[in-house]
Amino acid sequence: MNDLRAERLQVMLSPEELAAIDDFRFKHRMPTRAAAVRELLKFGLAAVGVDATAGVKSSSFGVFGRGPDGHTQGDPESGGSG
């Protein structure tokens, strides 16, 4: 098991949602449902412009930029205020 996958996420799905994941999994010859869900999450995050590569910290996904004194409003790229 990958050390980066230490967290477990439980999701309740309707039969139709589960069938859609299974269809995707089998069409793309994925080994597990978990692998299919991770791939679909990666596609969804990429579609909204989020880089979901390994090593990205959760603070990179916040609404506010993070400065030395905690969260500050501003551009997350520059970490500045305003």
Side-chain angles (χ1 to χ4, degrees), residues 12 17 20 24 37 79:
M12 302 299 290
E17 292 167 332
F24 175 85
V37 169

Side-chain angles (χ1 to χ4, degrees), residues 25-37:
R25 172 188 172 196
F26 294 125
K27 181 178 180 182
H28 297 281
R29 299 176 163 243
M30 306 206 74
T32 64
R33 281 181 174 162
V37 169

